Amino acid sequence: MSHYPIFADLHGRTVLLVGAGKVAERKAESLLKAGAVVRVVAQKLNPAFQAWQSEGRIIWLGGVFHDFYLDDVFLAVAATDDHGFNQRIFHAAETRGKFCNTVDTAGLCSYIVPAIIDRSPIQIAISSGGTSPVLARKWRQIIETLLPLHTGKMAAIAGKWRSRVKEKIDGMEHRRRFWEHLFDSCFNTLTAQGNLDAAEAELSAQLDGYRPAKGEVVLVGAGPGDAGLLTIHALQAIQAADIVLYDALVSDEILGMVRKDAEKISAGKRAGCHHVQQEETNQLLVTYALQGLRVVRLKGGDPFVFGRGGEEAQVLHEAGVPYRIVPGVTAALGATAYAGIPLTHRDCAQSALFVTSHSKHDGDQPDWRTLALSRQTLAIYMGTLRASVIAEKLIEYGRSENTPVAVISNGTLPNQSVQTGHLKDLPQMAENAPRPALMIIGEVVTLRDELKWFQEGNAA
Ligand code: SAH
């Protein structure tokens, strides 16, 4: 994090502003709006400053800056057009442990002023960490259009009722849901129309008739890695969740989209290392939902494709817990698309099979005869550890040893890598492949030479 964001209460607090030109005027304007007591050091005052001075809104200390002026101020702003002078002010502030912002000089700032959208008491601040104020302002414009003007009024009413809601409704999650429901209800329309009395009456009625909501579990497919492949339902679910149980395969970028105050629990398992047993995960889902929480079970790819989503849904069904399923882009679709390998193609593959080399019961044998048929594509999940057996059996049952194959690692992610070769080379390729890796077997792999579009190996 480049800067720690805070909103400072400047009411009645003193700010020293050095400079009184156009830029300083803008600074003074926003400082006064925030209730600060502004002391100005400048040779002369422009008309705006003169007006503020005659209204008693600023204090002019004259044209000479003394370091001790900083002693009893809360913040400082260096806004002169003399770089050397600004530098002196900044260093004097640093020595005294005072926050100083030097206009347009990122290196001379211990705090920076973000672009803001003001719907007080709702305020949104956007910062580029001093790297590109223009980009921050561009985002401000975009967000400005998304934020209705009455948002501030809704917040003001909510502020008035906050303690009564707290008295009536136990538990932060339940209160959050009460507010979320209220803001989506006709309370919103009434406030937008400026009918504030009716809006408050609606709030009061909803509070009187309040019943704790039931918990639920949403089994969400997070896709293979690239956060852009999340569905809208998935995004909504992870942003509404009180608690998220996620798999090891869910990318950091996607986890970063979970609401910041939601609890995140790793329920990940990779072949051979069971952090948390499946039964324990199932039990947690039921327990949290019965506590009235909105639980998201976030799984790599699609929950119903080799993801044990079926088993979890059965447990929820038996326990009488309400649940929903949000499908995701499964690895075989995502990784092949980003590798430029179409799963089917009229010239060489009329079908595609999604296969796993793992099964619950060790003795279960795949139907090798079917798997070895020609003119089909195999997408093999969790297969790298068994690549030798797979290649050997497919060749034994009739698939040519020269069938094109690919091993796609970290599909759809910036560090995606793809190896291509022939079926006889598969064990060697799989051994070298970073995980997670998906094996693709079939003539369609050759199309990658032509259709490779995704820039690979861009990992930081
Ligand atoms: N439910 C998931 C699959 C879970 S099984 C889905 O629908 O995609 C885990 C296996 O999926 C891994 O062993 C690997 O074979 C494959 N896999 C998952 N994500 C992948 C990715 N980003 N790139 C390549 N393979 C991946």
Side-chain angles (χ1 to χ4, degrees):
M1 198 192 274
S2 73
H3 287 77
Y4 182 69
I6 53 173
F7 286 89
D9 180 1
L10 291 186
H11 286 93
R13 296 203 162 88
T14 306
V15 178
L16 183 73
L17 173 64
V18 187
K22 264 279 153 234
V23 183
E25 183 185 321
R26 281 205 303 275
K27 292 276 175 191
E29 206 172 347
S30 53
L31 289 167
L32 290 171
K33 229 167 144 184
V37 175
V38 180
R39 291 187 193 153
V40 179
V41 176
Q43 299 285 357
K44 58 180 177 33
L45 299 181
N46 77 9
F49 279 97
Q50 286 169 14
W52 285 324
Q53 194 200 14
S54 61
E55 291 159 12
R57 299 184 64 200
I58 63 160
I59 300 156
W60 185 27
L61 301 176
V64 183
F65 169 76
H66 297 287
D67 290 9
F68 69 82
Y69 281 172
L70 290 159
D71 286 343
D72 60 346
V73 302
F74 188 69
L75 296 177
V77 182
T80 77
D81 50 12
D82 176 343
H83 180 70
F85 188 22
N86 284 342
Q87 222 163 8
R88 199 192 123 202
I89 301 161
F90 176 71
H91 290 305
E94 283 287 89
T95 316
R96 282 165 174 74
K98 300 287 176 181
F99 278 111
C100 181
N101 175 269
T102 306
V103 170
D104 271 345
T105 318
L108 296 181
C109 288
S110 50
Y111 73 95
I112 53 175
V113 183
I116 72 158
I117 298 141
D118 193 0
R119 300 278 190 276
S120 283
I122 297 287
Q123 287 179 294
I124 296 180
I126 304 161
S127 155
S128 64
T131 55
S132 174
V134 175
L135 197 59
R137 279 200 289 273
K138 179 181 136 68
W139 276 105
R140 186 191 64 190
Q141 280 168 5
I142 294 171
I143 297 172
E144 187 95 49
T145 56
L146 294 176
L147 208 66
L149 288 167
H150 69 281
T151 297
K153 288 185 195 146
M154 294 217 291
I157 299 177
K160 209 166 128 189
W161 282 77
R162 197 167 164 199
S163 54
R164 266 176 279 179
V165 170
K166 205 167 172 183
E167 264 164 38
K168 167 111 192 206
I169 303 175
D170 269 346
M172 221 164 64
E173 283 83 16
H174 288 120
R175 286 197 291 276
R176 185 189 304 127
R177 285 169 85 171
F178 169 80
W179 288 117
E180 281 174 3
H181 181 265
L182 180 83
F183 295 145
D184 285 338
S185 73
C186 63
F187 172 80
N188 183 4
T189 327
L190 292 167
T191 321
Q193 290 163 349
N195 201 345
L196 303 187
D197 290 340
E200 275 201 66
E202 175 62 28
L203 192 165
S204 172
Q206 286 195 23
L207 190 59
D208 284 346
Y210 172 77
R211 294 268 169 287
K214 271 188 158 182
E216 66 160 359
V217 177
V218 195
L219 299 184
V220 176
D226 180 352
L229 295 175
L230 277 181
T231 64
I232 294 173
H233 276 325
L235 189 62
Q236 286 167 343
I238 63 178
Q239 293 193 339
D242 300 311
I243 191 156
V244 175
L245 282 91
Y246 63 93
D247 270 359
L249 280 178
V250 175
S251 70
D252 290 345
E253 195 187 355
I254 290 172
L255 283 178
M257 293 174 151
V258 171
R259 217 190 48 229
K260 292 290 165 278
D261 51 353
E263 191 178 340
K264 284 185 269 185
I265 298 176
S266 164
K269 325 166 215 55
R270 285 213 175 145
C273 82
H274 293 251
H275 292 308
V276 178
Q277 295 297 323
Q278 183 67 47
E279 291 71 28
E280 202 181 317
T281 305
N282 296 348
Q283 203 42 56
L284 283 178
L285 295 175
V286 173
T287 310
Y288 289 129
L290 292 179
Q291 285 170 10
L293 298 177
R294 280 172 300 187
V295 187
V296 158
R297 174 73 176 106
L298 191 57
K299 293 171 154 293
D302 179 87
F304 278 2
V305 179
F306 309 130
R308 304 194 185 176
E311 295 167 39
E312 289 171 9
Q314 283 174 307
V315 171
L316 297 169
H317 171 74
E318 276 158 30
V321 169
Y323 64 90
R324 290 186 286 136
I325 317 287
V326 178
V329 174
T330 187
L333 300 183
T336 53
Y338 279 50
I341 301 173
L343 280 171
T344 66
H345 191 286
R346 282 195 292 170
D347 289 342
C348 51
Q350 275 73 43
S351 61
L353 289 184
F354 296 179
V355 189
T356 176
S357 71
H358 278 246
S359 69
K360 197 166 177 182
H361 310 289
D362 283 346
D364 284 357
Q365 276 300 315
D367 177 0
W368 292 111
R369 197 171 306 281
T370 308
L371 295 183
L373 290 175
S374 57
R375 298 189 70 78
Q376 74 179 357
T377 307
L378 300 182
I380 304 180
Y381 289 69
M382 295 178 273
T384 47
L385 294 177
R386 300 197 64 219
S388 304
V389 181
I390 292 167
E392 189 190 306
K393 287 288 185 189
L394 290 176
I395 294 167
E396 183 187 324
Y397 280 83
R399 195 103 198 214
S400 156
E401 62 173 20
N402 289 321
T403 308
V405 299
V407 181
I408 310 172
S409 296
N410 296 304
T412 80
L413 288 163
N415 60 342
Q416 171 175 302
S417 58
V418 183
Q419 304 173 62
T420 52
H422 297 104
L423 188 52
K424 60 179 184 310
D425 314 318
L426 189 63
Q428 178 74 39
M429 289 161 64
E431 202 179 314
N432 295 332
R435 315 259 166 78
L438 187 77
M439 305 194 299
I440 304 294
I441 299 172
E443 283 66 23
V444 286
V445 168
T446 53
L447 292 161
R448 172 174 156 84
D449 294 339
E450 212 182 313
L451 303 180
K452 177 179 186 290
W453 60 273
F454 180 64
Q455 209 64 42
E456 281 155 14
N458 282 335

